[in-house]
């Protein structure tokens, strides 16, 4: 039986990714999403929104921020109620609210923090600020019963995701391990094709998908996509439809 916990998505604004980064002729507007996890052990905040940046970064991404305090208030909590922060990585659109949570433990991969501190990576003031308390991880760890942090490198070397073993099935907070749910779906299917012995060529997929698959995720949520990945499980869909018709 999975742990009983709840997850609430927080809308913390959006930014405009320029065409030079979209792979196409047009810019793209992307949401910035964080997640509030309620657990018997406390309140966990996964990512904290868009931080203040230098003028060049502001002009490049044109971020539109929703204050973290307001998003938390809409969820019925305050900054003081947060027990622990987990950042998927330390780019300015994921750790921007960290200075508001001085004194709270911030869990990051050690390689991520080391990279951020070398400079030319993020906004330095969002990393080492007065009252910053880091707990550096070296790989996978269980934070609380039913809550595991899994390294998911790719977007950055120290990127990490959160696995939540819930009573209604495992949820994964994947951060920016993939930009979009559709990209995760493509990699998931590439892995499935490889396991089924489909002859190459096949697309490569991240090695950490094997570890996530061990948890049989039923929902995967992302930092820059409001869409949610769910497995294409016809038997499960039939069972759900049957329950709805009763």
């Amino acid at each position: 039986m999975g742990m009983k916990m709840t997850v609430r998505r927080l809308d913390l604004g959006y930014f405009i990714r320029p065409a030079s980064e979209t792979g196409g002729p047009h810019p793209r507007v992307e949401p910035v999403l964080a997640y509030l996890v309620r657990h018997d052990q406390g309140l966990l905040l996964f990512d904290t929104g868009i931080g203040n940046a230098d003028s060049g970064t502001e002009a490049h991404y044109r971020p539109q921020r929703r204050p973290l305090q307001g998003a938390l208030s809409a969820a019925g909590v305050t900054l003081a109620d947060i027990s622990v922060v987990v950042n998927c990585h330390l780019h300015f659109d994921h750790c921007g609210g960290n200075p508001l949570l001085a004194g709270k433990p911030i869990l990051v991969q050690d390689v991520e923090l080391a990279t951020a501190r070398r400079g030319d990576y993020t906004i330095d003031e969002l990393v080492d600020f007065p009252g910053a308390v880091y707990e550096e991880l070296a790989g996978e760890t269980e934070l609380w019963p039913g809550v595991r942090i899994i390294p998911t490198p790719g977007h950055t070397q120290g990127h990490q995701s959160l696995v939540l073993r819930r009573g209604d099935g495992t949820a994964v907070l994947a951060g920016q391990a993939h930009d979009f749910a559709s990209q995760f779906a493509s990699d998931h299917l590439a892995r499935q094709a490889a396991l089924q012995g489909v002859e190459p060529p096949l697309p490569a997929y991240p090695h950490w998908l094997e570890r996530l698959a061990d948890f049989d995720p039923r929902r995967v949520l992302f930092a820059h996509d409001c869409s949610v990945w769910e497995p294409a499980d016809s038997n499960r869909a039939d069972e759900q439809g049957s329950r709805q018709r009763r």
Side-chain angles (χ1 to χ4, degrees), residues 105-115 117 128 133-139 141 160:
I106 302 170
L107 277 63
V108 296
Q109 294 293 315
D110 53 5
V111 66
E112 182 70 16
L113 185 58
T115 302
R117 284 176 167 164
D128 287 312
V133 179
Y134 286 102
E135 292 188 14
E136 298 182 50
L137 308 177
T141 189
Q160 60 186 10

Side-chain angles (χ1 to χ4, degrees), residues 163-215:
V163 172
L164 308 173
R165 309 292 302 272
R166 309 197 314 164
D168 61 350
T170 295
V172 175
L173 306 184
Q176 205 172 345
H178 287 81
D179 284 341
F180 307 113
S182 58
Q183 292 175 343
F184 180 90
S186 294
D187 280 351
H188 174 78
L189 287 173
R191 173 183 176 273
Q192 185 177 18
L195 291 176
Q196 292 174 345
V198 176
E199 292 186 3
L202 290 172
Y205 58 87
H207 67 87
W208 46 258
L209 275 182
E210 302 291 351
R211 180 58 178 142
L212 288 188
D214 291 340
F215 299 100

Side-chain angles (χ1 to χ4, degrees), residues 71-232:
L72 291 174
S73 179
V77 303
T78 68
L79 291 168
D81 296 324
I82 302 301
S83 305
V84 62
V85 175
V86 177
N87 290 123
C88 65
H89 65 294
L90 294 175
H91 284 165
F92 87 110
D93 53 324
H94 295 264
C95 69
N98 285 15
L100 299 173
L101 293 150
K104 308 284 187 180
I106 302 170
L107 277 63
V108 296
Q109 294 293 315
D110 53 5
V111 66
E112 182 70 16
L113 185 58
T115 302
R117 284 176 167 164
R118 282 199 292 268
D120 196 28
Y121 177 81
T122 186
I123 306 301
D124 294 344
E125 293 78 9
L126 299 178
V127 176
D128 287 312
F129 52 86
V133 179
Y134 286 102
E135 292 188 14
E136 298 182 50
L137 308 177
E140 181 175 335
T141 189
E142 182 177 57
L143 174 58
W144 294 331
V147 178
R148 296 193 73 86
I149 296 172
I150 308 293
T152 49
H155 178 66
T156 70
Q157 186 181 357
H159 193 284
Q160 60 186 10
S161 299
L162 201 64
V163 172
L164 308 173
R165 309 292 302 272
R166 309 197 314 164
D168 61 350
T170 295
V172 175
L173 306 184
Q176 205 172 345
H178 287 81
D179 284 341
F180 307 113
S182 58
Q183 292 175 343
F184 180 90
S186 294
D187 280 351
H188 174 78
L189 287 173
R191 173 183 176 273
Q192 185 177 18
L195 291 176
Q196 292 174 345
V198 176
E199 292 186 3
L202 290 172
Y205 58 87
H207 67 87
W208 46 258
L209 275 182
E210 302 291 351
R211 180 58 178 142
L212 288 188
D214 291 340
F215 299 100
D216 187 26
R218 308 313 300 180
R219 303 179 79 225
V220 181
L221 303 95
F222 304 89
H224 296 313
D225 190 355
C226 293
S227 299
V228 177
W229 178 89
E230 294 181 334

